[in-house]
Amino acid sequence: MSRDAELVVIGAGIAGRFAALAAAEAGISVRLLSDSEDGARFDTGLLELLGRTNSTAVVDPFDAFGHLDDRHPYRIAGLESVRNALRFAERVLGDRYRGFGEDRNALVISQQGALVPVFAYPRSVASGLASDSGTVHLVDLSFLPDVDARVAAASIRRYDPHFEVTTNRIGNDPPKAVPSDRLGLAARLDEEIDDSPSGREVLPWLVDRIGAEDPRGDRIGLPAFLGRERTDAVLAHLESRLGIPVFEIPTAPPSLTGIRLDDRLDQAIRESSVEATTATPVVDYRTAGDRIEAVGVERAHTREWIAGERFVLATGGLLGGGITEREGEIVESVFDCPVEPPAERGEWTAADPYDTQPFATFGVDVDDEFRPRAGGEPCFTNLWATGRVIGGFDPIAQRAGFGTSLVTGHAVGRRIGTGGRHV
Amino acid sequence: MSERPWSMDLSGETDACIACSTCDTVCPVAAVDDEFPGPKFQGPEQWRLGNDEAPIDPSIDACSNCLRCVAACPEDVPLGEMHATARAERREERSPFSRKTIRDRLLANYGLLARFASRVPRVSNALASAAPVRWLAERLLGITAEREAPTFASQTFREWWDERGGSAVSNAEKRVAYFHGDHANVHDPGVGRALVQVYEYFDYEVVIPEQRCSGTPMFANGFMEDARRVAGFNLDRLRPLVAEGYAIVATCTSCSYALRSEYPDHFDVPGVDRVAAQTFDALEYLRRNEPLEAALAESGIDAGTVAYHAPCHARNQGLGGQTPAIFAGVDGIEVSDVGDSCSGMSGTYGWKEERYETSMAVGREMFDGIEATDATVGLTECPTCAMGMEHGTDVEVDHPLRVVRDALLDQ
């Protein structure tokens, strides 16, 4: 048989991949099982650690930990563990990300003109922080209709009436055969940046149209489409031609900032000793007493049993499928660990779709090691939970999705990898 | 949608689609062809918005059937089945005598052509490489002249097996039936020989059932009746073997994908689920049942850095990380995964004259990934991926099973 893995991670989203990477770095054998590919493509790619508590924007996330419930993942992990996770993320993400050294949140301008408190952010977003001074000039493209600079600007001014923002729209006479979607544009810019100047079409057109407008403020913001792999070079080119800093605005899917994050995490997994497979959903499990012995993977109509010493549940919340509805009950979909939603179904949602939603808190209850528990005792002695499958807090209202997945994934992976010595 | 033996009512499954567009973002054809609307349109949108009278949109012809959309969908929308059904419907709408239909039918039924051509390999090779013939094939049939045709071996795998006298091992407990596929049989019998050697090394009795093409090129081109015909033939031969305790193993990941996934999804034939449940990739089966990695770790090989490309159909069977993992502990070989990319070939797709440019544009990401490894040797389980890799880069491509054989048998 292929050897038992020392650790089997179920789910390859943010939490799953960080858990696998942390455990592999500590030196144990890791098997990473995922249902589908590309787990972070929905993401904005912004490292939101803790953005809001009690509906107030957070400036210093570490200070704000005191406002969190004592069963919140950050409180369970502890401040030192959170810092270790952030240092790890900084290493994995390399110089693609900024903000780690600042030790406080920065405000990033979102597609809708919200000012999002984030701890770290992609380099391409760095010149556009609303927390930095300087006027902003937002440019949208008429053939990318989901980003509207005027809507974003109006929204920013509602948050902060003193914020100086101007807008412009380009795109009336684009080059022939210009791709009309962000991914296509990004691919084209990746190609053009390495072409000789005579071979380029879209880049000079962008420079010309953006540069033609006045005022241009202190910095120019564009929806994120500036290359998928050559973003730094494309950005540098635009900045040198326009003579002022340029930044990207993270968008809804297709989100280039999320896709680049996904690409980087996949690369990190490939470069590690983790054995990762996709199209391997876990549909069953076998136990020996209070330990999980093996999980059953469904692989194109055949069932394979993957044995391991320890298991990490990183299957996600309601969106990822780790928490799901079955016959009218909310359940944890792989091991049936208890999820205790309010008894009345009407209490699962708030009437206004934009209100804080109770279902965002659905998930498993965990002990101090992040093992899911039933009635106060761990469901299994060798099963840990990470990421959105953990309940009891609202990652959306707190703007803490990436952070809670990163911190719990890293803490659990490192603990298991070092035999419990480190988190 | 009309009643056909292969069509299914998928309108309920479209409800699972949350329009997240993830499928569109991973589609390699959509990435290079701005006119191509993408899998979200080909699948859930057509199903939701279409009706029995509306013709299938012609853009489905540009879909390469790589199935990356299937792998990426977070909600398990049956995109592969939707595209296959759309292709079959579209086939119904076209004249059987159009140039494209004849060409597609020829490519889809390549197995039949290969069976005759393999009897006269020298003549076939001379014809296939002759410039006038290639020019004619492109002008008359639309088969691209840009690519070199695979060569026919002087002896097919089956001929070698018959000459050899069959299995050298007799073992009632450990028995496998090898589904070799057309490519291994007539173009690359060395892979088949390697399979036999490796399995016999682990004391397996190998049988070679009568077989036809797995049907993959027929699924990919919408010839569902042809696919059903070959599926029926293969299942008739494989079903009794499975009942006797044989496992079915394949060296081509498109063959294993067809048998274990496409057959049960599309055809309601007796035994289809049981055969699917007992079908494996050749190395997958060994890994599950034998100490393959331990045996490899004890041997060594002099291969250096090799660039591994996981075929899309392999990733869809959950086998994406298998080859790098198998060789992780072996001295003398460093397997570098070129990343989640599509070769652009997808079987018959890259051979169509009007799809050649697209297939090369799609494959570019893979070519760049290969070049980034600095390897001179490539590794993959899919024969057409191998063709794509060799056409677009300088690597020579081998099959992982041959590397395993070389390591275990010191050759």
Side-chain angles (χ1 to χ4, degrees):
Chain A
M1 317 288 158
S2 49
R3 325 147 275 151
D4 288 5
E6 286 167 280
L7 173 62
V8 177
V9 178
I10 304 166
I14 306 244
R17 279 181 285 185
F18 274 108
L21 288 169
E25 189 179 77
I28 65 172
S29 62
V30 181
R31 193 74 205 266
L32 176 60
L33 303 171
S34 175
D35 185 357
S36 60
E37 298 182 353
D38 310 306
R41 276 168 181 266
F42 288 113
D43 218 271
T44 54
L46 300 172
L47 205 167
E48 295 180 87
L49 183 62
L50 183 62
R52 301 182 88 75
T53 51
N54 304 325
S55 308
T56 320
V58 167
V59 171
D60 185 334
F62 304 107
D63 259 357
F65 279 12
H67 296 293
L68 299 172
D69 178 278
D70 61 11
R71 294 317 294 166
H72 190 283
Y74 292 157
R75 297 288 302 276
I76 296 177
L79 189 57
E80 199 191 315
S81 178
V82 172
R83 288 201 184 278
N84 287 339
L86 290 170
R87 268 192 284 270
F88 187 77
E90 192 180 4
R91 264 192 294 125
V92 170
L93 298 172
D95 65 358
R96 291 167 188 76
Y97 273 67
R98 291 278 182 272
F100 280 102
E102 299 300 314
D103 235 37
R104 59 201 302 245
N105 283 337
L107 289 176
V108 170
I109 300 172
S110 83
Q111 174 182 343
Q112 315 292 11
L115 302 182
V116 184
V118 306
F119 188 76
Y121 39 88
R123 233 175 102 169
S124 61
V125 160
S127 308
L129 299 181
S131 32
D132 288 344
S133 60
T135 60
V136 161
H137 181 65
L138 298 179
V139 179
D140 67 34
L141 275 64
S142 57
F143 50 89
L144 296 181
D146 64 334
V147 181
D148 187 321
R150 273 176 301 185
V151 165
S155 189
I156 294 173
R157 289 186 203 111
R158 268 200 302 278
Y159 279 105
D160 181 354
H162 302 291
F163 200 99
E164 284 182 54
V165 48
T166 54
T167 67
N168 186 27
R169 170 163 298 169
I170 65 174
N172 288 330
D173 52 352
K176 270 203 188 37
V178 69
S180 56
D181 70 294
R182 280 195 288 278
L183 263 186
L185 268 173
R188 172 72 80 87
L189 293 179
D190 277 345
E191 275 175 33
E192 285 197 0
I193 197 64
D194 286 333
D195 271 340
S196 63
S198 55
R200 295 174 178 160
E201 268 190 308
V202 179
L203 265 175
W205 174 79
L206 276 174
V207 168
D208 187 65
R209 295 297 178 275
I210 299 171
E213 273 307 301
D214 217 31
R216 277 176 287 140
D218 295 322
R219 45 222 173 117
I220 296 177
L222 288 163
F225 63 80
L226 300 178
R228 179 172 172 175
E229 279 158 28
R230 308 278 285 122
T231 311
D232 288 346
V234 173
L235 208 50
H237 175 91
L238 287 177
E239 287 182 329
S240 85
R241 291 290 186 282
L242 293 167
I244 76 178
V246 174
F247 64 93
E248 282 189 318
I249 301 164
T251 65
S255 160
L256 258 312
T257 41
I259 287 170
R260 292 177 203 136
L261 168 68
D262 204 56
D263 286 348
R264 173 56 199 140
L265 290 178
D266 275 348
Q267 184 192 15
I269 291 283
R270 267 199 308 279
E271 289 168 358
S272 73
S273 59
V274 174
E275 185 186 340
T277 50
T278 57
T280 40
V282 172
V283 299
D284 203 349
Y285 63 99
R286 277 201 309 242
T287 55
D290 59 5
R291 289 180 60 81
I292 297 171
E293 260 193 340
V295 288
V297 154
E298 178 104 330
R299 173 180 284 150
H301 297 258
T302 53
R303 186 69 61 87
E304 182 185 354
W305 289 96
I306 309 245
E309 286 163 36
R310 292 175 182 75
F311 295 81
V312 167
L313 190 60
T315 44
L318 284 166
L319 182 62
I323 303 293
T324 190
E325 183 180 357
R326 225 176 256 160
E327 288 154 28
E329 303 290 316
I330 302 289
V331 299
E332 180 272 301
S333 53
V334 177
F335 300 104
D336 249 316
C337 298
V339 177
E340 259 125 55
E344 286 300 312
R345 220 188 146 97
E347 289 168 36
W348 292 358
T349 55
D352 184 329
Y354 293 103
D355 256 349
T356 304
Q357 294 291 346
F359 61 72
T361 64
F362 290 179
V364 300
D365 182 41
V366 293
D367 68 9
D368 288 344
E369 272 189 40
F370 292 111
R371 284 182 299 188
R373 55 186 182 184
E377 289 303 308
C379 300
F380 302 95
T381 53
N382 63 343
L383 177 70
W384 284 261
T386 61
R388 294 279 245 271
V389 75
I390 301 174
F393 68 103
D394 188 335
I396 298 170
Q398 291 177 343
R399 303 222 76 138
F402 192 129
T404 45
S405 291
L406 162 67
V407 166
T408 53
H410 174 265
V412 166
R414 190 146 185 255
R415 171 192 289 276
I416 293 174
T418 56
R421 288 193 304 281
H422 297 290
V423 290
Chain B
M1 298 287 161
S2 38
E3 287 303 312
R4 302 262 186 271
W6 57 79
S7 81
M8 39 205 123
D9 180 15
L10 294 169
S11 43
E13 326 275 313
T14 62
D15 285 349
C17 172
I18 57 173
C20 68
S21 306
T22 298
C23 56
D24 282 349
T25 65
V26 301
C27 173
V29 176
V32 304
D33 180 357
D34 211 38
E35 301 281 318
F36 185 64
K40 189 174 66 167
F41 168 77
Q42 311 292 1
E45 279 172 17
Q46 278 202 112
W47 251 254
R48 280 174 170 158
L49 303 173
N51 55 51
D52 280 341
E53 284 93 54
I56 298 287
D57 193 280
S59 60
I60 190 71
D61 290 341
C63 165
S64 71
N65 198 44
C66 73
L67 302 173
R68 293 191 70 190
C69 48
V70 174
C73 176
E75 299 298 312
D76 286 330
V77 177
L79 290 159
E81 292 158 55
M82 288 174 165
H83 302 336
T85 309
R87 268 192 290 270
E89 291 284 337
R90 175 129 168 87
R91 198 49 80 187
E92 297 281 308
E93 290 160 13
R94 301 243 292 271
S95 157
F97 303 111
S98 78
R99 178 173 170 266
K100 284 223 177 102
T101 304
I102 293 177
R103 186 271 317 268
D104 290 348
R105 208 180 200 138
L106 211 93
L107 287 175
N109 283 279
Y110 180 75
L112 197 59
L113 175 69
R115 240 188 304 154
F116 294 111
S118 65
R119 293 192 189 145
V120 283
R122 275 204 291 267
V123 171
S124 305
N125 287 337
L127 281 176
S129 56
V133 174
R134 292 170 67 183
W135 181 87
L136 256 179
E138 186 169 294
R139 296 314 297 277
L140 278 184
L141 292 172
I143 296 177
T144 183
E146 299 288 336
R147 297 186 188 276
E148 281 180 28
T151 50
F152 289 90
S154 50
Q155 183 187 52
T156 68
F157 172 70
R158 294 187 78 94
E159 282 165 1
W160 171 82
W161 180 253
D162 287 339
E163 192 182 271
R164 187 201 203 230
S167 179
V169 168
S170 192
N171 189 336
E173 307 300 312
K174 288 164 57 159
R175 314 200 280 187
V176 294
Y178 177 33
F179 191 91
H180 48 72
D182 289 321
H183 189 270
N185 191 35
V186 306
H187 294 305
D188 193 9
V191 171
R193 292 196 291 269
L195 178 129
V196 170
Q197 287 166 317
V198 172
Y199 269 78
E200 287 184 345
Y201 175 90
F202 285 103
D203 208 33
Y204 280 83
E205 183 181 311
V206 180
V207 300
I208 315 290
E210 247 197 303
Q211 51 196 265
R212 291 281 175 271
C213 170
S214 66
T216 301
M218 296 154 181
F219 286 113
N221 284 282
F223 293 107
M224 295 304 268
E225 270 168 1
D226 290 356
R228 192 168 212 279
R229 176 175 44 86
V230 295
F233 183 99
N234 290 328
L235 286 169
D236 280 346
R237 305 296 178 291
L238 299 174
R239 195 173 39 233
L241 288 169
V242 166
E244 282 171 51
Y246 286 82
I248 318 292
V249 295
T251 43
C252 167
T253 43
S254 296
C255 289
S256 47
Y257 188 74
L259 263 51
R260 77 206 290 198
S261 192
E262 282 170 320
Y263 284 13
D265 284 345
H266 290 278
F267 303 129
D268 190 13
V269 172
V272 68
D273 288 319
R274 230 183 130 197
V275 171
Q278 287 303 315
T279 298
F280 304 88
D281 168 74
L283 285 171
E284 175 196 5
Y285 188 76
L286 274 181
R287 229 180 146 213
R288 280 213 219 182
N289 295 288
E290 302 300 325
L292 174 66
E293 275 151 85
L296 282 171
E298 272 167 38
S299 60
I301 188 166
D302 187 18
T305 309
V306 302
Y308 173 69
H309 163 75
C312 298
H313 292 176
R315 296 214 297 278
N316 275 39
Q317 294 175 60
L319 298 174
Q322 175 176 270
T323 295
I326 284 176
F327 292 109
V330 184
D331 282 329
I333 183 170
E334 167 103 8
V335 177
S336 209
D337 191 320
V338 305
D340 282 346
S341 47
C342 175
S343 72
M345 287 300 293
S346 206
T348 56
Y349 189 85
W351 285 98
K352 298 178 185 177
E353 171 255 319
E354 76 278 13
R355 303 288 167 215
Y356 176 75
E357 293 296 337
T358 303
S359 79
M360 289 301 281
V362 166
R364 167 99 178 264
E365 196 188 341
M366 181 192 70
F367 303 150
D368 289 346
I370 292 173
E371 262 145 41
T373 65
D374 276 330
T376 52
V377 175
L379 224 55
T380 191
E381 293 91 344
C382 169
T384 56
C385 288
M387 290 176 205
M389 290 160 78
E390 286 187 339
H391 181 70
T393 67
D394 292 326
V395 297
E396 286 202 17
V397 181
D398 205 348
H399 190 290
L401 196 51
R402 263 200 286 256
V403 182
V404 167
R405 189 271 316 275
D406 290 346
L408 291 178
L409 273 62
D410 277 325
Q411 286 179 14

